[in-house]
Amino acid sequence: MPNIRDAGTLQEKQFLLVGFPGSGKTTQFQTLPGRKFLYVFDPNCLASLKGLDADYEIFCPEVMDLDLSVKSLKLKDGNIVGDKPSRAVEPKTYMNFERHFTEHFEKGFFKDYDVVGFDSFTMFADIVMDRVMHINKRLGKQPEQADWSAQIYTITNVFRCLWSTGGITFATGHLDPKQDETTT
């Protein structure tokens, strides 16, 4: 099979498909030619991967950084005030992803793939922000400009690494965080 990088058939090598959950964004990943690898951040995409000839790794948060016992919250000076969360869970999903990504990038792992995907970019951005907010000790507060800047910088560096491999980069994004009444 010819290498897609040499084929010259695709002029655009970065794709971001944005749509509502369940609209077929993950299914479109299957239509790209060549060997595929997908980072899964949204567990809802797993049903679409059945029968797909692609390798993937799952990095979904096991514990959301929420404390459901908080009953009343108010905003004051841009910060959430009220009952304090009873626990502060350290978000480790991004750390696990970063370890995997760095090891594989340094070993040239991605050069064996024609397409590397992120499903979903929306969830990936949330995972990055969870980590930034934890590092900056701002859990329970609104993100500040420094938090947004750190998130953008981190995401940009990840994608710049991928783009340097010369392959196709594919990502999905959500317009709405909920697929239907029973799926979030």
Side-chain angles (χ1 to χ4, degrees), residues 104-119:
H104 285 72
F105 182 76
E106 289 174 353
K107 292 178 181 175
F109 173 83
F110 299 108
K111 291 182 180 182
D112 291 336
Y113 290 93
D114 299 302
V115 184
V116 177
F118 279 61
D119 197 329

Side-chain angles (χ1 to χ4, degrees), residues 131-139 146-147 150:
R131 188 67 189 158
V132 168
M133 294 296 286
H134 174 76
I135 290 168
N136 291 337
K137 297 179 177 26
R138 291 197 241 281
L139 291 176
D147 303 320

Side-chain angles (χ1 to χ4, degrees), residues 27-146:
T27 304
Q28 289 299 308
F29 181 70
Q30 299 177 43
T31 67
L32 295 171
R35 191 161 181 230
K36 300 172 197 63
F37 179 84
L38 184 66
Y39 277 113
V40 175
F41 300 101
D42 180 357
N44 290 323
C45 84
L46 293 174
S48 300
L49 295 178
K50 287 183 181 175
L52 174 63
D53 184 23
D55 298 326
Y56 61 91
E57 287 287 332
I58 301 172
F59 290 95
C60 300
E62 294 175 9
V63 178
M64 299 305 290
D65 298 318
L66 301 173
D67 185 339
L68 300 178
S69 67
V70 176
K71 293 180 176 63
S72 65
L73 298 176
K74 301 175 192 167
L75 278 179
K76 180 178 180 182
D77 300 324
N79 294 322
I80 298 174
V81 295
D83 296 336
K84 297 261 186 204
S86 61
R87 60 183 169 83
V89 177
E90 179 179 2
K92 296 181 181 177
T93 306
Y94 179 76
M95 290 173 32
N96 294 334
F97 162 78
E98 181 181 56
R99 187 173 24 261
H100 180 277
F101 183 83
T102 302
E103 286 175 11
H104 285 72
F105 182 76
E106 289 174 353
K107 292 178 181 175
F109 173 83
F110 299 108
K111 291 182 180 182
D112 291 336
Y113 290 93
D114 299 302
V115 184
V116 177
F118 279 61
D119 197 329
S120 81
F121 178 83
T122 308
M123 298 284 285
F124 177 62
D126 288 345
I127 290 164
V128 172
M129 183 59 84
D130 287 347
R131 188 67 189 158
V132 168
M133 294 296 286
H134 174 76
I135 290 168
N136 291 337
K137 297 179 177 26
R138 291 197 241 281
L139 291 176
K141 298 179 181 180
Q142 292 293 326
E144 296 178 7
Q145 184 60 46

Side-chain angles (χ1 to χ4, degrees), residues 1-9 33-35 112-114 168:
M1 181 167 138
N3 186 328
I4 192 67
R5 292 180 180 103
D6 300 329
T9 57
R35 191 161 181 230
D112 291 336
Y113 290 93
D114 299 302
I168 297 168

